[in-house]
Each structure stands twice: as C-alpha cells, then as structure tokens.
Amino acid sequence: MNGYTVGENGTNSGMTEQHQFQLFEESLRKVNKLVFQMLINEIIPLSMSVERKLEKSNDEEVSSNMSKLDVNEDSNTTNLLKDIVPSNQLIHDLLDTKDEDKYNKVIDRVRNIGFQVGNKLSELLIFTNNPNLQFKDMDILLIMKFVCRDVWKQLYGKQIDNLKTNHRGTFYLFDYDYPPIREFCIEENALKKELKLVEPFLEFPVGIIKGVLASLGYPPEQVICLATFVDRPNNDIPDTSFAKGISFHIQITTQNNQ
Amino acid sequence: MTIYSFWIFDRHCNCIYDREWTLLANPKSGTTNSKQNDDVSKLLYGIIFSLRSVTGKLSTDDTGRTNEISSISTGKFRIHTYCTATGLWFVLLTDFKPFNYNKVLQHIYSDIFVKYITNNYLSPYDFSENENEKRGQGTRKITNRHFMNNLESFLEPMISS
C-alpha cells in the first residue's frame, strides 16, 4: 500500500520500523477533528435523551400498552420532531434533575460508552505495530504511559500533561487543557454552575481509561477511576479557555496475579 | 479607521448581540446587550433587510447566486455586513476611512462565533426557544464570557486607530 519493499530494509531496523509506522499512519483515512470532537461531546446529551425516552416509554406502557404503538406508527415523523430537545437544554436538564437515580443512570451510560470505546481502542492501537509500544512484562506503569501517550493522542490529539504515581497502584493523570471542554463556558459569574455542568463530560474519559485497562488485564472491578477539577499549575487562568484542569485519580485495588 | 458599534442578528430576525462604544478613547466604554438599543437594532435590521431585498431583485446574475450587500454608506457612517448561509448577520458600523471589513467580520464569524458559541455545548445555538420568539420578538442575547472577551480583545485595536 505504501510502496515499501523488502529489499529497501536498511541495517538500522529501528529506524525502518519507525519509518514504516509513519507511512502507515499517513496512509490511514482522516476525519475532521472538529466533527469527531463534537461526536464525543454529543454522547452526554445522547445519554440524557435516551434516559428520557426510556422513562417516557415506561410511563406510556403503564397507561396503555399496545394501542399506543399503532398511533405512533401514523404520526411517527411529527412525534419525532416534537420530542427533539436541543443538546444544551438536555445538559442543563441533567444538572437540574432532582432524581439522583436518573442522574446516575445517565452517568453510567456515558461511562459505558467510554468503556466500550476504550476497550476497542487499545486493540486498534496495539494492532498498528507502533514501534514505540512495548508490552513485554505488562507493567501497569507502562500501561498508564500507553494511556497518557497513545490513547490520549489518538482521541484528543495531545498527550496528558502530567503523570504521577506512588508505585503502589495509585496514579494521577493531569490534563490541564482537556480539549473537548476547552470552549465550554456560560455567562459571567457562574463558575460553580459551569463546573457542575461540565462534570458529566469527564465521565467519558473515565470510561475510556477503565476500558483500556480492562482490555489489558485489569478488570473494571479492580480499578477505581475518578475525575476531578484541579487548578492549573502556576495559576494562569486565560480568558479564552476553560478555567480548570482535570485530574484523573486511578487506583488499582488488588494486584493482578497472572 | 474607527468602529462605532457591532451587532449580530440571527435568522429569527432577533438581535442576539449588540455592542456600542461611546468614548473612542476608552475601548471599555459603552454598552453591551443594552435594552435601550432594542429600537436601534430593529431599525438597523430594517435597513439591511430592505436593501438586501432590493439588491436581490436588481441582480442580473443568473447563476443562481444571490447578490449580497457588503456595505451601506450614509451621510454619517458606513454599515458593513456579513451574512452567512445559516441566516446570521454580522453588522459593523464604522466611519468612512476606506478599509475592507469583510475579513474582520469573517474572522469574527469563523474564529470567534463558531468557536465559542457553536462549539460550546453549554450555550444554545438557536437563541429562540419557543415559537413566540421566532418572529423577531426574542430578547435572548449572547452572554457567553469567552465570546465577549475574545470579541473585545479582537476589536479593541480598531476602535480608534
């Protein structure tokens, strides 16, 4: 595909592999970054919307079960249009919901989507024959580095800014400029509400991390992953970007015995 | 070149953002999203709307492209407009110094509006929430912090230079 023949293989195999990987990456199909990012962000309103629809259909089923279906059949398109709620409205609704159970269900849905994506993503990234990847002794630190470097780069086009660990299964991953929420902002003097609104958006990367770990031998019940807001280092708060950085706290509860 | 005020209209004929500078020496002066400017905004909308329909009718181009107005000059000032296909109008009132503001308005649309309004999931993309507001009766404005800060810092050098 990339015109690379066996005869061209030089003496320096490391260089060749690197070159080959580069050629492979360039030959991959590209998608628009903005569209991809919006798709990721749309997961939260989507989960909320699904939860609402489920709730509604449950209610309807109690009142009238089969006859309702026939009615829906006729006015399908008009009903669909009527039920559409703008994404920003859904996000605000999610914050305002009093029902804790519902909120948790939505968050779980987001996390599950992230988990599935992460689970498959690691498969794809390892399949690419990236010469920078090594999983010889399956070290958890190596896996974390893989998350910081390759997974993040694939999803968000940047690496995680800082990785801290106590070498006993606790990791802190800091991203001071998490791209999907970079432009998020509401009116002046409502920072607290803003942070609350953004919170569900952090559940997707949490799911990603858990998914990647699960595919590499750390099942989700052994991993605790939490996302919290942290201040940026040296406290530079630019006017044009989201005010807080994100810290992912990852804890591996039991040692993995192979 | 000096700019006097800046306006954004949406496709429901509502003014969703207005910014007027009063003291040219002080870029921080003036009003933002002021209620007092409601009537002015309606008049401004009317001028542009009428002239747009006139220019549309006068167009002899039969390639199907509409003839858009780019600026309107009166005895006192000049109105620059940038209309998008989605029905947004970006309007800038300036003095007579010859300068092409098309690039400026395009930048405001593509690098500020799209970035901080369209790309921002916490902010609405349609500023009319119900049917009553879709006929020019809406009063919702852009109150987004990032948008306002960016617009200010971008337009500041042009206010009196």
Side-chain angles (χ1 to χ4, degrees):
Chain A
M1 201 207 299
N2 45 32
Y4 217 81
T5 53
V6 189
E8 274 175 28
N9 265 330
T11 43
N12 197 337
S13 67
M15 279 292 281
T16 322
E17 266 176 27
Q18 195 77 47
H19 186 61
Q20 214 157 13
F21 178 65
Q22 222 166 15
L23 284 174
F24 168 76
E25 286 233 294
E26 278 163 21
S27 73
L28 288 177
R29 295 211 173 85
K30 310 286 191 292
V31 291
N32 189 311
K33 193 174 148 198
L34 200 61
V35 173
F36 176 64
Q37 198 171 304
M38 286 184 113
L39 197 65
I40 288 181
N41 280 339
E42 197 62 44
I43 288 170
I44 288 88
L46 170 83
S47 309
M48 181 64 185
S49 183
V50 168
E51 205 53 51
R52 276 169 61 120
K53 285 258 166 70
L54 281 178
E55 222 170 47
K56 215 181 260 175
S57 67
N58 272 347
D59 290 349
E60 273 172 14
E61 240 167 78
V62 174
S63 56
S64 63
N65 31 33
M66 276 313 282
S67 58
K68 203 77 191 173
L69 273 173
D70 299 329
V71 181
N72 274 355
E73 214 54 51
D74 295 332
S75 52
N76 219 343
T77 45
T78 48
N79 255 7
L80 271 176
L81 281 176
K82 215 185 284 170
D83 281 349
I84 289 172
V85 183
S87 295
N88 69 297
Q89 191 64 47
L90 283 171
I91 294 166
H92 283 262
D93 284 354
L94 179 62
L95 177 70
D96 293 336
T97 181
K98 293 283 176 288
D99 191 353
E100 200 143 304
D101 197 37
K102 189 181 170 192
Y103 184 85
N104 287 337
K105 269 186 191 163
V106 174
I107 296 296
D108 270 354
R109 201 175 287 277
V110 175
R111 236 180 251 172
N112 270 332
I113 295 171
F115 185 86
Q116 298 298 337
V117 173
N119 217 334
K120 286 162 189 166
L121 193 67
S122 61
E123 214 81 59
L124 286 171
L125 286 173
I126 294 163
F127 167 75
T128 55
N129 284 327
N130 186 343
N132 301 324
L133 285 182
Q134 278 168 347
F135 290 99
K136 261 189 197 136
D137 36 7
M138 284 298 277
D139 190 3
I140 180 68
L141 189 64
L142 261 180
I143 292 171
M144 277 302 159
K145 277 184 184 163
F146 167 71
V147 170
C148 292
R149 210 180 288 136
D150 299 274
V151 173
W152 233 247
K153 200 141 195 203
Q154 192 70 31
L155 282 171
Y156 308 119
K158 71 184 276 279
Q159 298 183 5
I160 278 212
D161 296 313
N162 203 346
L163 165 69
K164 279 182 186 162
T165 175
N166 69 348
H167 296 288
R168 282 195 190 80
T170 309
F171 293 88
Y172 284 96
L173 274 56
F174 295 100
D175 194 342
Y176 297 118
D177 191 17
Y178 180 57
I181 61 166
R182 206 177 271 162
E183 279 97 24
F184 285 14
C185 163
I186 52 173
E187 66 266 14
E188 213 123 10
N189 308 323
L191 191 67
K192 234 181 181 163
K193 193 182 172 199
E194 192 177 303
L195 292 181
K196 274 270 177 245
L197 279 168
V198 174
E199 243 166 38
F201 286 85
L202 308 185
E203 297 302 329
F204 179 71
V206 164
I208 290 277
I209 293 171
K210 286 189 106 173
V212 169
L213 288 177
S215 68
L216 294 172
Y218 292 87
E221 54 272 16
Q222 288 182 12
V223 180
I224 299 168
C225 184
L226 296 166
T228 44
F229 292 110
V230 286
D231 285 325
R232 289 154 180 275
N234 55 32
N235 244 343
D236 54 332
I237 299 170
D239 282 343
T240 56
S241 177
F242 195 71
K244 293 271 186 182
I246 302 165
S247 143
F248 297 99
H249 174 202
I250 299 151
Q251 184 120 36
I252 314 289
T253 45
T254 46
Q255 283 302 313
N256 189 34
N257 34 9
Q258 286 156 354
Chain B
M1 58 209 205
T2 309
I3 56 177
Y4 300 131
S5 58
F6 173 72
W7 312 72
I8 303 175
F9 297 94
D10 73 355
R11 67 199 161 100
H12 304 295
C13 320
N14 295 324
C15 176
I16 54 170
Y17 190 75
D18 66 73
R19 177 78 176 99
E20 190 170 31
W21 291 274
T22 39
L23 298 170
L24 293 180
N26 178 10
K28 299 270 183 294
S29 70
T31 56
T32 313
N33 289 340
S34 138
K35 258 230 153 347
Q36 287 172 334
N37 274 339
D38 267 7
D39 290 334
V40 184
S41 80
K42 279 182 186 130
L43 289 170
L44 190 62
Y45 187 90
I47 296 172
I48 299 166
F49 183 84
S50 320
L51 285 170
R52 271 189 64 155
S53 64
V54 170
T55 49
K57 285 195 179 100
L58 286 176
S59 165
T60 50
D61 188 0
D62 41 47
T63 52
R65 283 195 308 158
T66 47
N67 184 14
E68 284 287 348
I69 49 164
S70 63
S71 71
I72 304 160
S73 300
T74 69
K76 294 252 174 174
F77 55 86
R78 186 169 278 177
I79 306 170
H80 298 265
T81 62
Y82 181 79
C83 306
T84 70
T86 47
L88 288 162
W89 296 1
F90 293 82
V91 179
L92 198 63
L93 265 64
T94 68
D95 65 351
F96 281 115
K97 295 270 168 58
F99 181 75
N100 193 357
Y101 283 93
N102 209 26
K103 280 263 154 57
V104 171
L105 290 169
Q106 203 168 355
H107 176 87
I108 291 173
Y109 172 50
S110 63
D111 288 2
I112 301 179
F113 187 88
V114 168
K115 199 170 172 196
Y116 294 106
I117 305 292
T118 317
N119 222 352
N120 179 351
Y121 268 68
L122 309 183
S123 133
Y125 60 88
D126 193 342
F127 285 82
S128 301
E129 280 183 4
N130 49 45
E131 284 302 317
N132 295 338
E133 292 172 3
K134 288 193 175 167
R135 292 169 179 277
Q137 308 291 319
T139 49
R140 268 168 231 278
K141 304 274 185 186
I142 296 174
T143 51
N144 189 315
R145 190 175 73 240
H146 287 168
F147 176 81
M148 283 155 107
N149 288 343
N150 266 281
L151 191 69
E152 285 303 289
S153 58
F154 174 65
L155 289 178
E156 204 168 288
M158 281 174 265
I159 289 164
S160 60
S161 54

